[in-house]
Structure formats: C-alpha cells, structure tokens
Amino acid sequence: MKHIVIAGGSGFLGRRLARELLARGDRVTVLGRDGTPPSNLPRGTHWQRWDAKMLGDWSAVLDGADAIVNLVGRSVDCQKTVENQRVILESRVDSCRVLGEAVRAVHKPPLVWVQSATAHIIGDPVPRDTICDESTPAGPMHEMAPRVGVAWEAAFHEAKLPLQRGIVMRISFVLGRDGGAMQRLSTLTRWGLGGTVGRGDQWMSWIHEDDLARLMIAAIDDAAYEGVYMVTAPHPVTNREFMRAMRKAYARPWSPPAMAFAVRLAARFLLDTDPELALLGRRCVPTRLLSETKFEFAYTELGPALADLTHRPVGDG
C-alpha cells in the first residue's frame, strides 16, 4: 500500500485518480480548500484542508507519503480578463511554491512528484498542421497559455527537491464523464448545436480520463518516468471530426456550423468563456510515451473513447 497525496484532488481528474488508487488498496489524501470534503469525493479518501498558498499544519500529511500529485489550477474556462489571468497564473505558481516549502519542512518527503501542466504551452503553432510534442518550444510570451505554462513549470522545477523524481504532464483536452469541457460540449450536442466550430480545421488533442489516471499511476510506480511528457492520445482530430464523432455518440443528426463571429459573441455574452478554447487548437502527439515507456493507451481513437463516456454512468470508475 502506498500513500498518495493529491493536491487539488476534488476536481473530476483528482476524483478519478483517487478512485483508481483506492481500488488497488492505496491510501489517498486530498488537499482541498474547503473545511469539509465534497460529497462526491470517493469513499475512503482522507481530506486535509489547505489554502494552496501558505505553509501550515497540513504539511504533516506529506511526511512519509510516497508521492505528490499536484492538480491545482484555476479553470481556464473563463474570459481572459486581467484579473482572471492573474488568478490562473497565481493558483498554479503558488501551489508549486508552497508544496516545495512543505517537502523541505517534513522529515521524510515523498520521493515522487507528478505535476500537471498544459499542452497549450506551445501556443497556437503556424502552420496549422505542425505536429507538436515534448521537443516543441514554448509559444510567444504575449500569449496567455505559453506565459502561464512556462511560469508554471519553472515554479515546479524550483520547488522540487533535487532527489525527488519529477514528472511534468502537459495535459491536453481531457474527456471525462463528470467534469471538464465535455459537460458543456455534450449539452450543446444534445440540444442540436453540435456542429463544426469556426473553420473546423483546428486540431483537438484529447485523452480519455481513464488513460490519464492510469498514466499518473504508472508515473508514480515506474522509476523510468522522469521529465516532461506530452499527455494526449496518439491520434488528434480536427474540430470537424470531433464534432462529427460527438453527434454520432449522442445519436444526433447533422448540425449547422457555428461561425467564428457567432462563437465569439456566445462565448462573451452567454457562456462567459474564452472563444479561443474552441477556435484554436494544437496537433499534439505523445512522442516520449510511445517511444520510451511501456504505457498502453486503452483509447487511441476518439470514437471508442466517446462511446465509453456516453454509455457509462457518471461517477462509474
């Protein structure tokens, strides 16, 4: 039995990972901001309150733990106001910094630190069909995603102990049944609004939540994992292909396309989100996972991944 501490583990990614760890007999402690654990946290999970900014008594849970998984980060599903950009950046940097302080304060710190990061660190490549992996440089710093991504990873590398095995997971769009952007996309599709978005040739790099949870566990267990990984399924698709697959998964007919100007208006006045999340994309591939590890994706193609998500009940691990 291992003891895994998940920072920011109350979100749908953390809950999915906790279920998988608990199922194999591990002890799981989630660091969360609320005084009481959320009702949808998997049974058997230990809860420890923290503020993700300041060192405190909560750091004791790290003493003797086997691994930290840090999933902290304010959602980017919002408009890119100056204030939202500040909170997005600070939530990521602050959590790494204070976890670094905590591992230096305990007698026996975890030997493994798995850190979430963003595949969007590469920005919006030109030309559009550029294939991006771990070797692709970060995008221009005037773009929010590269700016946040670079600062996030730098904070992790500064916080990690020299002897800790560190794994940075640049996570792409996660397909999950009870959280994330899939909830909004599935609702729009069921309402008959599942048409192509914008030009439709923007790439969508995705990964099934089950594969992501299994990959995080593999990184915890296997000493061969270290450094930066692009965390995405091997076969990205265009938005046109993605929305076609969504309509098929939900048994919906052809839907009219959403023009870019309409997407921008809806994002601003109806959905309160960033239209670039839908209008831009990257063609990412997991080169290191495929060439350097023994990890086997359960879902390499989009169709079976969506079929699984639409036929299994919410919360079913």
Side-chain angles (χ1 to χ4, degrees):
M1 182 180 73
K2 292 184 176 181
H3 180 199
I4 313 300
V5 178
I6 307 176
S10 59
F12 86 99
L13 295 181
R15 297 195 305 270
R16 181 68 193 88
L17 175 59
R19 285 198 299 270
E20 197 76 17
L21 291 166
L22 291 165
R24 72 175 196 165
D26 288 341
R27 179 187 177 196
V28 177
T29 299
V30 165
L31 300 177
R33 290 185 175 88
D34 296 331
T36 56
S39 59
N40 58 359
L41 205 66
R43 181 175 299 178
T45 304
H46 298 269
W47 180 260
Q48 175 62 54
R49 186 179 184 182
W50 75 327
D51 66 0
K53 292 183 178 180
M54 301 295 292
L55 191 63
D57 293 342
W58 59 266
S59 61
V61 303
L62 295 175
D63 202 353
D66 294 278
I68 309 168
V69 179
N70 184 15
L71 302 176
V72 174
R74 198 260 203 217
S75 173
V76 296
D77 188 5
C78 61
Q79 294 192 37
K80 288 193 297 191
T81 64
V82 172
E83 175 62 13
N84 283 342
Q85 291 188 57
R86 182 189 66 80
V87 174
I88 287 169
L89 175 60
E90 289 184 358
S91 66
R92 287 155 171 76
V93 170
D94 285 349
S95 69
C96 290
R97 174 188 51 76
V98 76
L99 284 171
E101 294 174 4
V103 298
R104 286 164 174 79
V106 299
H107 175 68
K108 187 180 179 183
L111 294 178
V112 181
W113 184 338
V114 178
Q115 176 62 47
S116 63
T118 178
H120 293 182
I121 192 173
I122 58 181
D124 185 38
V126 178
R128 195 173 297 268
D129 284 346
T130 300
I131 296 177
C132 306
D133 64 7
E134 299 85 357
S135 65
T136 305
M141 290 299 102
H142 69 267
E143 294 182 16
M144 186 190 79
R147 186 169 65 252
V148 169
V150 168
W152 196 3
E153 293 186 18
F156 163 71
H157 289 298
E158 183 176 347
K160 183 182 74 69
L161 292 171
L163 295 181
Q164 275 181 317
R165 182 165 58 85
I167 301 97
V168 174
M169 294 194 169
R170 292 179 177 173
I171 302 172
S172 59
F173 177 36
V174 182
L175 305 181
R177 62 181 59 81
D178 60 347
M182 266 293 291
Q183 287 189 318
R184 177 173 287 173
L185 286 175
S186 62
T187 298
L188 292 173
T189 302
R190 289 195 298 267
W191 286 355
L193 300 175
T196 298
V197 177
R199 291 177 50 166
D201 60 354
Q202 65 272 34
W203 287 93
M204 298 184 68
S205 302
W206 59 273
I207 186 170
H208 191 291
E209 63 174 354
D210 290 358
D211 278 335
L212 178 55
R214 291 174 48 248
L215 178 58
M216 288 182 173
I217 293 174
I220 291 169
D221 291 345
D222 189 345
Y225 286 81
E226 190 162 12
V228 176
Y229 295 87
M230 188 66 76
V231 177
T232 178
H235 300 132
V237 296
T238 63
N239 174 267
R240 182 176 294 103
E241 294 168 322
F242 187 92
M243 298 312 300
R244 184 186 303 126
M246 286 287 291
R247 295 193 299 272
K248 181 177 180 180
Y250 287 98
R252 292 297 186 268
W254 176 87
S255 299
M259 305 301 290
F261 76 89
V263 173
R264 296 186 186 280
L265 289 174
R268 180 176 180 181
F269 296 108
L270 297 178
L271 302 177
D272 191 28
T273 191
D274 178 8
E276 291 185 358
L277 295 175
L279 294 173
L280 302 179
R282 287 138 294 274
R283 188 180 185 181
C284 300
V285 294
T287 298
R288 289 196 65 202
L289 290 178
L290 296 175
S291 63
E292 300 178 18
T293 76
K294 298 179 181 179
F295 184 78
E296 295 184 3
F297 288 88
Y299 299 96
T300 60
E301 301 291 344
L302 179 62
L306 291 177
D308 173 76
L309 293 169
T310 54
H311 287 87
R312 256 203 280 175
V314 169
D316 180 8

